Amino acid sequence: MNDKTLPIDTVGPPTPVLSVAPVVLPAPDRAVDLQVRVSAPVTGGDLPVILLSHGQGYSHHLSSLDGYAPLAGYWAAHGFVVIQPTHLSSTTLRLDPGTPGAPLYWRSRAEDMRRVLDGLDLIEDAVPQLRGRLDRSRVAVAGHSMGGHTASLLLGARLTDPDDGAEVTLADPRIRAGVLLAAPGRGGDALTPAVAEGLPFLLTTDFSTMTTPTLVVAGDQDESTHLTVRGAQWHTDPYLLAPGRKSLLTLFGAEHGLGGISGYDVAETTDENPERVAAVQRLTWAYLRSELYPGDRAWQAACDALAAGPDPLGRVDSK
């Protein structure tokens, strides 16, 4: 066994997965209807749900329902139903740059996830293999990069709308836990001047109200110099500045792609590392499993396995 691989017995064996896309949710108040991918184990009932929000990278299709196969496939093979929307920010939609909310559609992204939860009946109708198999009381949200910002809003973070100065609260009480992967940190003087001017919604991010249990995953080499002047530490802000039960997984040597979570063998991954991806898969799964099922020891077992090796891939801190 590779010393940098978590032992496989921290999780059960994978099961076959069904994946259906696009499932279309009517959205008359949106620029286009909402398309999602649904991935689930082919067997089992009372399945918990993960909403997975894509980032905004260079590749066209990773920023859509077609991205993040390393995470969606793994989570589904180990007992979750994973629902991935194509947000309006996806270049696959080729929207007019003048569409309200462009270019990143920060508010619409969070509303997409709430629309998914409101439309679970429609999803079950479109994917009859799922009918009656969802546990709607156990819902989590996860997001990478800009998707992490989306997830943080659903978990309770707030901001001030730069267009009208109103405080925006988009938390959804149906979401019981979250995972933020290389998510943006605080605003203000932590941002580069270009980002502060071009993406002013990031200026006022407030984590002090993000009370939902959350795992923050950050690479210690994720400098993100196009976004922040604070270096890799910026991505730990959602852990450091949010109250309540939080955990931080710091991945040693990891850059923004966290080893390659957005897709298999993709060119934009600058730190490709299969063992790192495997660690992210297993630790995020274990965290959500234990948060959604109190008393489940998967998270503790995964943390113990991470710390046990002679050359660990990372470190977990909790508060």
Side-chain angles (χ1 to χ4, degrees), residues 285-310:
W285 172 87
Y287 178 83
L288 293 178
R289 177 76 193 179
S290 292
E291 281 297 333
L292 295 179
Y293 297 89
D296 189 297
R297 292 187 53 79
W299 174 238
Q300 186 60 57
C303 291
D304 291 345
L306 179 68

Side-chain angles (χ1 to χ4, degrees), residues 72-96:
Y74 185 90
W75 291 337
H78 292 89
F80 285 91
V81 174
V82 184
I83 304 176
Q84 301 172 252
T86 293
H87 297 303
L88 292 180
S89 59
S90 175
T91 56
T92 63
L93 298 178
R94 296 179 172 84
L95 296 182
D96 186 313

Side-chain angles (χ1 to χ4, degrees), residues 105-121:
Y105 301 92
W106 60 267
R107 185 192 293 269
S108 172
R109 281 170 146 268
E111 291 172 345
D112 287 346
M113 307 304 240
R114 300 172 78 171
R115 194 185 302 269
V116 167
L117 293 179
D118 292 341
L120 289 178
D121 286 343

Side-chain angles (χ1 to χ4, degrees), residues 15-23 36-43 47-52 64-85 116 120 123 127 129-130 133-134:
T15 61
V17 169
L18 65 88
S19 185
V20 181
V23 174
V36 305
R37 175 180 296 278
V38 181
S39 302
V42 298
T43 59
L47 301 172
V49 177
I50 300 175
L51 310 180
L52 175 55
S64 77
L65 57 75
D66 291 319
Y68 295 87
L71 294 181
Y74 185 90
W75 291 337
H78 292 89
F80 285 91
V81 174
V82 184
I83 304 176
Q84 301 172 252
V116 167
L120 289 178
I123 290 173
V127 187
Q129 300 92 332
L130 276 184
R133 298 175 60 206
L134 301 181

Side-chain angles (χ1 to χ4, degrees):
M1 182 182 69
N2 188 314
D3 286 341
K4 287 196 173 186
T5 302
L6 287 181
I8 194 67
D9 61 4
T10 60
V11 296
T15 61
V17 169
L18 65 88
S19 185
V20 181
V23 174
V24 180
L25 300 180
D29 57 342
R30 197 173 180 267
V32 295
D33 287 339
L34 178 60
Q35 297 188 6
V36 305
R37 175 180 296 278
V38 181
S39 302
V42 298
T43 59
D46 294 326
L47 301 172
V49 177
I50 300 175
L51 310 180
L52 175 55
S53 180
H54 64 72
Q56 205 61 36
Y58 300 111
S59 300
H60 290 285
H61 289 276
L62 295 180
S63 298
S64 77
L65 57 75
D66 291 319
Y68 295 87
L71 294 181
Y74 185 90
W75 291 337
H78 292 89
F80 285 91
V81 174
V82 184
I83 304 176
Q84 301 172 252
T86 293
H87 297 303
L88 292 180
S89 59
S90 175
T91 56
T92 63
L93 298 178
R94 296 179 172 84
L95 296 182
D96 186 313
T99 303
L104 292 184
Y105 301 92
W106 60 267
R107 185 192 293 269
S108 172
R109 281 170 146 268
E111 291 172 345
D112 287 346
M113 307 304 240
R114 300 172 78 171
R115 194 185 302 269
V116 167
L117 293 179
D118 292 341
L120 289 178
D121 286 343
L122 295 176
I123 290 173
E124 287 195 30
D125 288 342
V127 187
Q129 300 92 332
L130 276 184
R131 191 168 293 128
R133 298 175 60 206
L134 301 181
D135 184 346
R136 303 185 187 199
S137 71
R138 290 184 169 96
V139 177
V141 66
H144 175 236
S145 193
M146 184 59 194
H149 181 270
T150 301
S152 72
L153 294 177
L154 293 162
L155 294 166
R158 296 181 181 178
L159 56 76
T160 300
D161 189 327
D163 293 331
D164 61 14
E167 184 180 68
V168 177
T169 302
L170 294 169
D172 194 307
R174 292 170 291 185
I175 295 171
R176 292 176 49 185
V179 174
L180 305 183
L181 300 144
R186 68 175 179 84
D189 60 6
L191 303 181
T192 66
V195 168
E197 180 179 357
L199 303 174
F201 68 90
L202 288 175
L203 275 168
T204 55
T205 301
D206 178 9
F207 294 111
S208 69
T209 54
M210 194 178 79
T211 57
T212 308
T214 303
L215 170 63
V216 177
V217 183
D220 68 1
Q221 299 301 310
D222 184 6
E223 298 293 330
S224 296
T225 55
H226 60 300
L227 296 173
T228 182
V229 298
R230 291 189 59 235
Q233 185 72 12
W234 185 58
H235 296 286
T236 68
D237 283 349
Y239 170 76
L240 296 172
L241 302 178
R245 194 166 66 252
K246 301 289 183 293
S247 292
L248 171 65
L249 169 60
T250 302
L251 294 168
F252 304 148
E255 299 176 14
H256 200 61
L258 303 178
I261 62 170
S262 63
Y264 292 108
D265 300 322
V266 298
E268 70 181 45
T269 298
T270 57
D271 65 332
E272 188 169 12
N273 185 311
E275 289 80 17
R276 184 175 297 139
V277 172
V280 174
Q281 290 171 328
R282 296 171 189 171
L283 283 153
T284 54
W285 172 87
Y287 178 83
L288 293 178
R289 177 76 193 179
S290 292
E291 281 297 333
L292 295 179
Y293 297 89
D296 189 297
R297 292 187 53 79
W299 174 238
Q300 186 60 57
C303 291
D304 291 345
L306 179 68
D311 191 12
L313 285 159
R315 180 186 71 250
V316 172
D317 298 288
S318 295
K319 63 178 186 178

